Amino acid sequence: MKLAVVGGGSTYTPELIDGFARLRDTLPVTELVLIDPAAERLELIGGLARRILARQGHPGTVTTTGDLDAGVAGADAVLLQLRVGGQAARLRDETWPLECGCVGQETTGAGGLAKALRTVPVVLDIAERVRRSAPDAWIIDFTNPVGIVTRALLGAGHKAVGLCNVAIGLQRKFAALLDVAPAEVHLDHVGLNHLTWETGVRLGGPDGTDVLPRLLAGHGDAVAADLRLPRALLDRLGVVPSYYLRYFYAHDEVVRELGEKPSRAAEVAAMEKELLALYGDPALDEKPALLAKRGGAFYSEAAVDLAAALLGDGGPSVQVVNTLNQGTLPFLPDDAVIEVQARVDGSGPVPLPVPRLDPLFAGLTAHVSAYEDLALDAALRGGRERVFKALLAHPLVGQYDLAEGLTDRLLAHNKEHLPWA
């Protein structure tokens, strides 16, 4: 089995390699190709990847290349984890929206739109080249904003599934709080990428007993502290929102906080410098503890489980993925991309039925999904007016003067990545 990782020079990659090594019975990878134009980083990470596999007795080979077409040729699956513009672009995404009093964040709001505009054309070009060199390969997208990028891929007819680590992270946390094995915890997870709610926590499978009320009653303080939201709000909602909902439920508080501390991009850039120094140590043969602070917790487990379901012959498994709505949420178009539990096998994901969503959550989901439709249109066709309309539609913007100011800043900071600008 051959897997290719586009963006293999990411500091995330050793987390992924560790998962492939530990879970080789689940996903028997024989060849792993790391693809990245950053040759120096790729050499460091490729060397560490080989040492991690050797330490754990994994027989697979690791190769590195800057040649995308050669790297993906004959692959069974291609994982996308790229960042167009690097951490410098992320820093800008987190900074200029604050000038207008709006959240500066890399996947939602104005910064998220900027990332989508930079990313979608690049990903679609990569996907077309994958289609030529490995026509049967599945594309697993971990590149943010996952919902919009996955929608672009599916709209262009690619065999693609979007993946996020929010659900598996919550599953692991809830399992620890309930003192059960993670496999015993099934989440009623519903919404859009980075806009989801856990409306049920079931033990034993999709039809198991819902213990969410018990979880909130016994561990609500711990859950609320982790989300940085008031315990009273969780009790009133009766669900567990993704931590990204804090940008919506406490927008002004978050903006104040972001203006008072170093950006996450600056923190990550410093962390990456330290990680790359560690990766260059020829004695290092396991992922360093510092990597846990980089983000992407449990990414490797989620990626292995999804790839195994898509490529294996062990029958379907139930996983949280980003895929086409196709009537699952009746208030959204069929071609919207949603993030829900789905049965996944070699033919792809099929969403599980979702009970009627409370209007409190359905309304925001529909609002953001409409923004994503406009954002994708702007990413595919360009134009200042399309950018303005997408920003005006976003619930974290929503006022014409803010949308005008943000449009000007977005275009000014991204000209090198947007030929039409």
Side-chain angles (χ1 to χ4, degrees):
M1 181 184 295
K2 176 180 177 179
L3 266 61
V5 181
V6 179
S10 168
T11 52
Y12 273 131
T13 300
E15 165 71 25
L16 188 62
I17 303 300
D18 177 73
F20 289 154
R22 288 185 294 102
L23 303 171
R24 58 182 174 271
D25 292 338
T26 303
L27 187 69
V29 178
T30 56
E31 181 182 1
L32 183 64
V33 183
L34 306 182
I35 305 166
D36 204 293
E40 186 175 347
R41 289 173 64 119
L42 196 58
E43 182 179 357
L44 290 176
I45 292 167
L48 175 57
R50 295 183 189 97
R51 296 193 297 272
I52 290 174
L53 294 186
R55 175 190 173 98
Q56 301 199 32
H58 193 291
T61 63
V62 176
T63 58
T64 61
T65 181
D67 186 333
L68 175 69
D69 299 300
V72 302
D76 296 287
V78 177
L79 281 68
L80 304 182
Q81 56 172 32
L82 58 148
R83 182 183 295 279
V84 179
Q87 292 299 330
R90 176 180 182 170
L91 177 60
R92 292 192 294 269
D93 291 345
E94 294 180 354
T95 303
W96 54 262
L98 294 175
E99 297 171 3
C100 297
C102 295
V103 163
Q105 210 276 333
E106 65 157 341
T107 63
T108 193
L113 176 60
K115 194 172 196 299
L117 296 178
R118 293 192 304 268
T119 304
V120 165
V122 174
V123 166
L124 289 178
D125 176 67
I126 291 169
E128 287 298 330
R129 293 163 70 178
V130 170
R131 180 146 49 191
R132 291 196 297 268
S133 298
D136 295 325
W138 279 99
I139 296 175
I140 299 175
D141 177 58
F142 197 69
T143 296
N144 282 318
V146 167
I148 296 173
V149 172
T150 302
R151 190 167 179 176
L153 288 165
L154 293 171
H158 296 290
K159 290 176 60 177
V161 185
L163 180 64
C164 181
N165 70 323
V166 167
I168 194 171
L170 287 172
Q171 180 205 43
R172 297 298 200 270
K173 290 172 184 175
F174 295 164
L177 291 171
L178 295 167
D179 196 24
V180 298
E184 290 296 304
V185 177
H186 173 94
L187 302 179
D188 291 346
H189 180 99
V190 60
L192 311 175
N193 179 241
H194 290 184
L195 191 89
T196 51
W197 297 265
E198 312 309 324
T199 60
V201 177
R202 301 182 184 277
L203 295 184
D207 300 318
T209 302
D210 183 10
V211 297
L212 178 58
R214 190 178 96 198
L215 178 73
L216 288 175
H219 305 283
D221 288 342
V223 174
D226 199 45
L227 299 173
R228 299 186 64 202
L229 288 170
R231 162 71 185 272
L233 177 62
L234 299 192
D235 291 337
R236 295 170 74 179
L237 295 177
V239 303
V240 177
S242 153
Y243 55 83
Y244 285 93
L245 265 298
R246 187 167 183 263
Y247 296 117
F248 296 83
Y249 292 159
H251 175 274
D252 293 353
E253 180 182 347
V254 171
V255 168
R256 286 193 297 272
E257 290 175 0
L258 293 175
E260 295 170 354
K261 64 178 185 179
S263 71
R264 174 63 177 165
E267 294 176 356
V268 170
M271 201 179 304
E272 285 199 331
K273 185 176 181 180
E274 188 174 349
L275 282 169
L276 289 170
L278 291 172
Y279 295 168
D281 180 356
L284 183 68
D285 58 3
E286 60 184 344
K287 64 178 183 180
L290 178 63
L291 187 55
K293 298 180 181 180
R294 171 66 179 82
F298 307 111
Y299 163 36
S300 60
E301 284 90 340
V304 166
D305 288 346
L306 178 55
L310 293 169
L311 303 176
D313 54 8
S317 66
V318 176
Q319 301 178 42
V320 173
V321 297
N322 284 260
T323 192
L324 290 174
N325 179 43
Q326 299 288 25
T328 306
L329 299 179
F331 56 88
L332 295 183
D334 285 348
D335 64 351
V337 164
I338 59 175
E339 186 172 291
V340 293
Q341 293 275 9
R343 294 193 184 278
V344 185
D345 60 18
S347 61
V350 177
L352 298 181
V354 174
R356 180 179 180 271
L357 196 58
D358 188 295
L360 180 61
F361 315 126
L364 184 55
T365 301
H367 194 162
V368 175
S369 182
Y371 149 77
E372 290 188 347
D373 188 54
L374 292 166
L376 180 56
D377 185 45
L380 293 175
R381 297 201 289 162
R384 186 188 189 283
E385 190 67 10
R386 293 187 182 94
V387 173
F388 168 78
K389 288 180 178 178
L391 288 167
L392 187 62
H394 201 296
L396 295 182
V397 181
Q399 299 180 59
Y400 75 87
D401 56 339
L402 291 179
E404 289 282 12
L406 289 167
T407 299
D408 290 338
R409 288 168 172 79
L410 186 156
L411 297 180
H413 284 288
N414 289 275
K415 283 185 177 180
E416 62 185 295
H417 300 292
L418 307 175
W420 50 266

